[in-house]
Amino acid sequence: MSLKDDLKDIRDQGLDDINKSTDLKSLNNIRVHLLGKKGPITSALRGIKELPVEKRPEVGSYANEIRDDLTKAIVEQRDNLANAQLNKRLAAEKIDVSLPGRSVPQGQPHVIQQIIDEVVDLFLGMGYQVLTGPEVETDHYNFEMMNLPKDHPARDMQDTFYITNEILMRTQTSPMQARTLEKHDFSKGPLKMISPGIVYRRDTDDPTHSHQFHQVEGLVIDKHITMADLKGTLLTMAHQIFGDKFNVRLRPSYFPFTEPSVEVDITCFNCMGKGCDVCKHTGWIEVLGAGMVHPNVLNMAGVDSKQYGGFAFGLGPDRFAMLKYGVDDIRDFYLDDVRFLNQFSKRGI
Ligand code: PHE
């Protein structure tokens, strides 16, 4: 066997090994073996010097040719293997962008809080301050300062949870009127405030009564405030919360802390005033109590009722929510059933 034949065998065997290699690591081993210093080509080249001088160039260039062939084959095979490996990875890690994403459950304000937020936003825009007060209140602020002395029969209008003789769960947000009047400095300007919060009454729970519910108190005191201001304010609110088509109506009523007192109706949401079962065929639904602040309330809080006067109102967000969404049982708001509450999602979840 001539050296040339040896080289040809080396090439055939080498190409065979290269093409059969299935991963980059074994291909690299083949490369090191074939082309390395201890490899068959190097040792064949070493044998050249044993050949007659005239044969050397031919065999030498043949050896180089073989080395080039093998090198080329290795590079090609390396590309093939690398591509195959990449394709395998791409297939394994494929992302199906058409799959819907996983939604992250997000909370939202309770439907009653949503109503309160709307009311608060509206009044903030009209320059009112927003104040909150204690739910555990004194008899003094809840009743006496609201012109309801101890033996006053109107106390029965609001069945009360007493903690002691003097401490109770507030039955209304009206004590915030007295608390604010006491603190307000009229030399700095008129008093305009709303006070949202929770109130408690010892009612037996039924579809329209809960022992716990919400109120938003409103109070405006200045010189020259009239009942027209009250009506305009209430109309603005009705438009904001319910819509422009709603009207308000004031009916004479009685509260110890306002004189005159009114009960405020808005257009029945169900029949828009035509008369239906919901509004007992009157076309109107009662939504809040209001009136011109009684001089006794002002005087007791240290405000001169000869100079100052104004209006107050107390509205029930629970009732607003019932009317706005046609909910017929107030207790549903307090059961914390997300299936019920999600119906009022602003995000539509
Ligand atoms: N506090 C009264 C109630 O709870 C509502 C009201 C507030 C009435 C302010 C007049 C003025 O029924």
Side-chain angles (χ1 to χ4, degrees), residues 158 172 174 177 201 215 217 255 257-258 289-290 312-314:
Q158 302 180 358
Q172 51 185 355
S174 300
Q177 290 187 34
R201 286 190 200 172
Q215 284 192 339
E217 195 78 11
F255 297 103
F257 31 87
T258 43
F313 59 82

Side-chain angles (χ1 to χ4, degrees), residues 12 45 49 91 102 129 142 186 253 267 294 297 310:
D12 291 348
L45 284 170
K49 58 182 181 294
R102 283 191 203 112
Q129 50 179 326
N142 194 78
F186 281 91
S253 183
T267 313
H294 197 292
V297 172

Side-chain angles (χ1 to χ4, degrees), residues 18 35 65-76:
I18 290 165
L35 306 175
E65 200 183 294
I66 285 171
R67 191 175 37 208
D68 290 350
D69 286 351
L70 290 171
T71 307
K72 209 173 131 207
I74 287 169
V75 169
E76 270 172 22

Side-chain angles (χ1 to χ4, degrees), residues 252-271:
S253 183
Y254 171 76
F255 297 103
F257 31 87
T258 43
E259 182 58 38
S261 300
V262 289
E263 248 153 317
V264 182
D265 300 336
I266 66 157
T267 313
C268 173
F269 66 95
N270 193 44
C271 63

Side-chain angles (χ1 to χ4, degrees), residues 24 36 68 139 157 164 182 184 188-189 197 207 238 271-272 280 296:
L24 291 167
D68 290 350
D139 183 279
M157 285 163 74
T164 68
E182 278 181 342
H184 189 75
K188 299 225 165 91
C271 63
M272 290 313 289
K280 300 193 187 88
N296 287 355

